[in-house]
Amino acid sequence: MKVLVGISRIFVGILFLISGLIKLNDPMGFSFKLQDYFAPDVLNLEFLVPYALVIAIFVVIYEVLLGVMIIIGYAKKFTLWSLLLMIVFFTFLTFYSAYFNKVTDCGCFGDALKLTPWESFTKDVVLLVLILILFFGRKYIQPFFTRFARSIIIFLSFIFCLGITYYVLQHLPIIDFRPYKIGANIEEGMSVPEGAPKPIFEYAWKFNVNGEEKIVTTSGEYPQQEGEFISVETTQIQAGYEPPIHDFSIEMGEQEFTIQYLTEAKVIVIVAYNRTTTEEEAYAKIREITNKAWEKGYKVIGLSASSREVMDELEAKYDLQFDFYFCDETTLKTIVRSNPGILELRRGTITQKLHWNDADDLKLE
């Protein structure tokens, strides 16, 4: 039991640390995931949506600290109860998401590692078992270092978490795990390579044969079956290749401009995914850098999911010399964790990506 507790302690601690630090690198992304859970068709907790970022920051910092606390043996009773209650809640949440197919990615490891709902639930069940081992074998959890040293470690860990959180919110994630990272080509990311796996479906054909129902299963072809056809049910038994970039488009009205701008030599893109939540104080800087870009021969466009009329008001209010095109809001939130954010594209390849706070760092040739 002592060995089992020791192994569980290290495994749980490291997993909580890794999971927490990955989300700490991108708390804005985790807040978007929480908003998915708060939606009316999931948990119906819409009143929590405005506080999603605060909740996300609290959860990820708490997760990192719990990982440190269980490893060094700090506040054993409090730590074990916290771990148990947290994993019970997340096990319920991942089971709910998997069973009802509500949220297809739990966000447990941010964009670094995508898990299906059932994979997330399985991971939480394993963690629950290990935490129960720790809970009932707590007498074998011996602390490391002195009490004062443990307190200093926790305090420094907390300060470290606050520092990282402040930095990534004022700038951008330190490590970009998304398909829109610097160096990625958007057009290539949307394409399906030759020979990529295709989805496999199973078809269950239902017939009425002499007053009795008979089901014939095929991989797609209509079966040679006597009797009256009733219905067919289609089930995907294996997913095909899905491009890392999808739902990306540049539109205005009924017109599509995606390929046009993805083949331009030099484009500056201002991403303002939602007019109501965009940072108004950013647009003095945005106007300054986009005017410079125009002078240096760049094409300059904006991308937003807000209506054309709303964005026209924004352009007029801040005397912006470029037009906003439409793009899906979820896609824009994935592209850059800043509202507004700044991209440089060279023939569809992302060569610069900046938070609006760092607009002055944009390099224009």
Side-chain angles (χ1 to χ4, degrees), residues 12 16 66 70 79-88 131:
V12 170
F16 266 69
L66 284 177
I70 191 62
T79 300
L80 289 172
W81 273 108
S82 296
L83 287 170
L84 185 60
L85 293 175
M86 182 176 280
I87 200 60
V88 165
I131 290 171

Side-chain angles (χ1 to χ4, degrees), residues 178-194:
R178 288 157 290 154
Y180 296 94
K181 58 182 176 291
I182 292 174
N185 184 278
I186 295 176
E187 192 171 4
E188 289 177 5
M190 292 191 292
S191 63
V192 177
E194 211 173 302

